[in-house]
Amino acid sequence: MKHQLMITWQHMRRSPYQAMAAIMIMTLTMFVGLSFLLLSLGSSRLLSYLEQKPQVIAFFNDTITSEDQVKEVINKLREVNNTALVKFVSKETALKIYQERNKSDPLLLELVTANTLPASLEVSAKNVSELPALYEVLKGTANVEDISYQKDVVNTLISVLDKIRKGGVGLLIFLVTTALFTILTIIGMKIALRKDEIEIEKLVGASTNYVRLPFLLEGFFYGLFGAVMSWVTLYGIILLSTPHLTPYLNGLSLLPVSPVFMVELLGGAIIVGGFVGVVGSFAAVWRYLKH
Amino acid sequence: MGGNLFWTKGGVAHGCWPHKNCQRMIKFDGVSKKFPDQTTALDNINLEINDGEFVFLVGASGAGKTTILRLILREVLPNSGSIFVDEHDLKKISGSKVVQLRRKIGCVFQDLKLLNDRSILENVELSLWVLGKNEAEVRAEAKGKLELVGLSKKIDCFPAQLSGGELQRAAIARALAGDPKYLLADEPTGNVDDENAWKIVEILEKINDNGTTVLMATHNPEIVNKLHKRVVRLEEGKMVSDKKGKYRE
């Protein structure tokens, strides 16, 4: 095996441009694959986050004075959908939330009092399709001044993410196919270049596996290097952009990415990259070393 | 001739051979070979070569000497007839058995088949790596074989840096790597001067004395006459004589 690894290294060293081409296409493929995977995981988390947030918020006007009036509204909502989650946020609670969010800005804190903020009722449904009926109940309530309804935001996000995922899968299929053909061509060229050596090896008693193994290992190493390089690039980008992106992810725990998760991602990338490399080189070996 | 001596299963001969009293190691039984352009390379060859023999295959160019060697190495298959090497029926053996067969045979090819981008030592080592030996064993044995053929001072030279005679000896060293039971030499003295030719013959004789069966294709009468070994003469693919003695008798 040690000797086979040495032969593989010689194969790669003696044709560095071909090796670079193979590694670069694998890096690009793995980079796109990992990027779309992270985007998909991140967007799933974003969606869950948004779905957990109140989807309809009814802001009361100042005419609402007693708890009974609020309970009446809640009961009306329960009649329509008894699984809906309803939470009353009083003016005082709203102020506390505001103060917590803006504790670093004394100027903003000074300007706002409990009277400035409206009391509200936060309503979530298990399913987005249940929201319109709840919305209609709130709309028909006399004391409600304004309603924030996120149905469209969530639906648009679902639609956009679905398109991104489909586009990503399509692009990934195209890139994996390109990587496979590139490795097949490069390994095929190397087999052709080493035709004499392979012929001699066979005549002196080399087994088929002995002849094939260095080419299969070469494909694996292209995948391995591609996976590691793409992972390093992606992790570098994530680490560099984390301080700039975190303020925009208000309350959403996406960044910083867990190092353990990134190590798992590297492991997965090596397995997938190595597999693609071996499949490409196996196709070349099967095609050009049949006899 | 002798076809009833064998029965085969899975490409391995049974029956009389192998047997402790039965020394035939290579047997051609009615072998004919035609190439795709319909040239008849061999026509009904019946030949038996025993353990430890030194056999000259002689004849003009195109007589079929190289084809016999290629058939033994199972580089090509016969159109008719059977070939047995040890327990192997070459027409029926599987790929893994071909590997086993070739590990028993060392071959000095007519075109030498040395790799120009490897040193002489690396060329010899090639035959040993395929046997699965470790680095120390490979290095020691390759150096030993190069010493045997008188090239110990040239181990790091590349083929382009060697003379014709030295190249032939390097090819012999590679063929001997792994201590094969059989040595096939295809015109090993064909492109060298007399002095080098005799050096090569001396090496082959020494190898034969150590128990290796040697089958040498040549059209050098002087060498054949001097050694006085078994001579198989081929003419246009037919075996016209098989006796101990001289190039032409």
Side-chain angles (χ1 to χ4, degrees):
Chain A
M1 187 67 177
K2 190 181 162 195
H3 177 63
Q4 303 292 76
L5 285 169
M6 203 176 74
I7 294 175
T8 308
W9 171 241
Q10 277 178 0
H11 284 189
M12 293 168 79
R13 195 167 51 85
R14 286 178 181 174
S15 47
Y17 297 116
Q18 291 172 358
M20 282 301 293
I23 291 170
M24 283 166 81
I25 189 74
M26 280 306 299
T27 303
L28 177 66
T29 305
M30 294 306 297
F31 182 78
V32 172
L34 290 177
S35 300
F36 273 101
L37 181 69
L38 284 184
L39 196 66
S40 183
L41 291 174
S43 57
S44 294
R45 196 177 279 189
L46 175 66
L47 207 58
S48 318
Y49 171 79
L50 289 175
E51 280 170 350
Q52 280 167 11
K53 297 281 278 183
Q55 291 148 345
V56 180
I57 304 173
F59 296 99
F60 294 110
N61 55 29
D62 289 341
T63 57
I64 198 154
T65 50
S66 69
E67 253 184 54
D68 290 343
Q69 286 173 299
V70 177
K71 277 184 183 169
E72 192 184 327
V73 180
I74 292 173
N75 287 338
K76 275 188 191 173
L77 290 169
R78 290 266 183 262
E79 281 170 22
V80 175
N81 186 329
N82 62 8
T83 60
L85 298 170
V86 183
K87 185 185 168 195
F88 176 67
V89 179
S90 66
K91 281 173 170 285
E92 289 72 25
T93 312
L95 181 65
K96 278 181 189 165
I97 294 169
Y98 179 83
Q99 284 171 337
E100 179 61 28
R101 282 188 186 171
N102 298 291
K103 59 187 174 189
S104 57
D105 196 338
L107 188 66
L108 286 176
L109 295 177
E110 276 175 28
L111 291 171
V112 177
T113 62
N115 277 334
T116 325
L117 299 169
S120 61
L121 203 57
E122 296 180 350
V123 183
S124 316
K126 284 191 176 171
N127 198 318
V128 179
S129 63
E130 296 166 355
L131 287 177
L134 295 167
Y135 172 74
E136 288 304 322
V137 171
L138 292 168
K139 204 177 163 188
T141 305
N143 297 321
V144 171
E145 189 177 39
D146 190 21
I147 300 174
S148 162
Y149 184 20
Q150 293 192 30
K151 180 198 165 195
D152 292 341
V153 176
V154 174
N155 282 351
T156 307
L157 196 64
I158 289 172
S159 162
V160 169
L161 292 179
D162 187 51
K163 279 173 189 156
I164 289 174
R165 279 177 194 160
K166 281 179 183 166
V169 168
L171 184 62
L172 203 59
I173 289 170
F174 175 77
L175 282 171
V176 167
T177 310
T178 309
L180 280 172
F181 278 111
T182 306
I183 289 175
L184 188 153
T185 309
I186 288 171
I187 302 282
M189 283 164 72
K190 293 195 173 195
I191 290 171
L193 280 171
R194 311 191 87 80
K195 198 180 65 183
D196 292 343
E197 185 181 337
I198 291 166
E199 184 197 349
I200 294 167
E201 282 177 346
K202 285 188 168 179
L203 288 174
V204 298
S207 65
T208 310
N209 287 341
Y210 178 90
V211 176
R212 286 179 175 179
L213 191 60
F215 296 106
L216 296 177
L217 283 174
E218 194 174 343
F220 173 77
F221 282 122
Y222 291 150
L224 173 76
F225 291 143
V228 172
M229 284 173 69
S230 61
W231 180 85
V232 168
T233 310
L234 193 65
Y235 201 15
I237 291 171
I238 290 171
L239 289 176
L240 286 174
S241 57
T242 296
H244 305 287
L245 290 177
T246 309
Y248 297 101
L249 302 170
N250 193 18
L252 179 60
S253 59
L254 274 181
L255 292 173
V257 179
S258 150
V260 176
F261 170 74
M262 287 308 290
V263 170
E264 287 170 358
L265 195 68
L266 174 65
I270 288 172
I271 292 169
V272 173
F275 179 74
V276 171
V278 169
V279 169
S281 52
F282 187 80
V285 164
W286 181 78
R287 170 79 180 79
Y288 299 107
L289 275 180
K290 256 186 191 171
H291 308 292
Chain B
M1 176 184 164
N4 58 348
L5 288 173
F6 306 97
W7 57 275
T8 66
K9 189 179 178 185
V12 176
H14 298 271
C16 165
W17 194 21
H19 188 275
K20 61 182 176 182
N21 297 322
C22 192
Q23 289 189 316
R24 281 177 300 252
M25 297 173 80
I26 298 174
K27 180 182 168 72
F28 278 58
D29 191 8
V31 172
S32 296
K33 175 68 185 170
K34 269 187 180 180
F35 286 111
D37 63 358
Q38 296 307 307
T39 312
T40 301
L42 293 175
D43 185 10
N44 194 30
I45 300 293
N46 292 293
L47 175 67
E48 289 177 13
I49 296 167
N50 295 329
D51 186 10
E53 271 195 291
F54 192 124
V55 180
F56 284 113
L57 283 175
V58 302
S61 292
K65 306 185 293 292
T66 300
T67 304
I68 285 186
L69 301 184
R70 291 181 72 196
L71 283 164
I72 294 170
L73 204 55
R74 208 184 178 267
E75 217 184 323
V76 290
L77 283 168
N79 294 98
S80 61
S82 301
I83 303 167
F84 296 89
V85 177
D86 283 356
E87 73 276 24
H88 303 293
D89 179 346
L90 300 200
K91 257 184 138 176
K92 295 177 181 170
I93 59 173
S94 61
S96 61
K97 290 280 190 318
V98 172
V99 169
Q100 285 177 21
L101 169 84
R102 287 179 177 172
R103 289 179 181 183
K104 292 179 183 174
I105 302 170
C107 190
V108 183
F109 301 96
Q110 199 168 15
D111 59 354
L112 303 181
K113 294 195 192 297
L114 292 169
L115 293 167
N116 292 323
D117 62 344
R118 308 283 174 91
S119 70
I120 293 307
L121 182 67
E122 287 171 331
N123 268 286
V124 178
E125 285 178 348
L126 188 80
S127 289
L128 297 164
W129 285 121
V130 303
L131 302 176
K133 297 190 174 197
N134 67 40
E135 195 173 349
E137 290 170 335
V138 166
R139 188 54 50 97
E141 190 173 341
K143 282 184 175 172
K145 297 305 175 195
L146 283 165
E147 198 178 333
L148 182 73
V149 299
L151 288 175
S152 54
K153 288 181 182 164
K154 305 255 179 172
I155 57 172
D156 293 323
C157 292
F158 286 83
Q161 297 169 295
L162 300 185
S163 69
E166 287 169 333
L167 286 172
Q168 288 285 4
R169 282 187 276 147
I172 292 171
R174 189 188 58 197
L176 292 175
D179 298 319
K181 282 176 75 177
Y182 309 99
L183 182 72
L184 313 179
D186 195 358
E187 307 273 9
T189 58
N191 298 311
V192 296
D193 56 43
D194 283 353
E195 192 185 333
N196 270 303
W198 283 111
K199 273 187 191 169
I200 290 164
V201 170
E202 274 173 27
I203 293 165
L204 294 178
E205 263 200 300
K206 199 195 284 183
I207 294 158
N208 180 238
D209 289 343
N210 289 336
T212 305
T213 306
V214 177
L215 188 54
M216 174 174 163
T218 184
H219 46 228
N220 186 328
E222 207 180 327
I223 290 170
V224 176
N225 293 340
K226 178 95 185 279
L227 262 64
H228 202 71
K229 303 279 187 185
R230 181 178 167 193
V231 181
V232 173
R233 168 171 289 282
L234 296 165
E235 280 178 14
E236 293 178 348
K238 292 195 169 101
M239 200 170 93
V240 294
S241 70
D242 178 7
K243 50 189 161 186
K244 195 170 177 178
K246 304 219 168 199
Y247 192 82
R248 283 189 188 278
E249 282 188 2

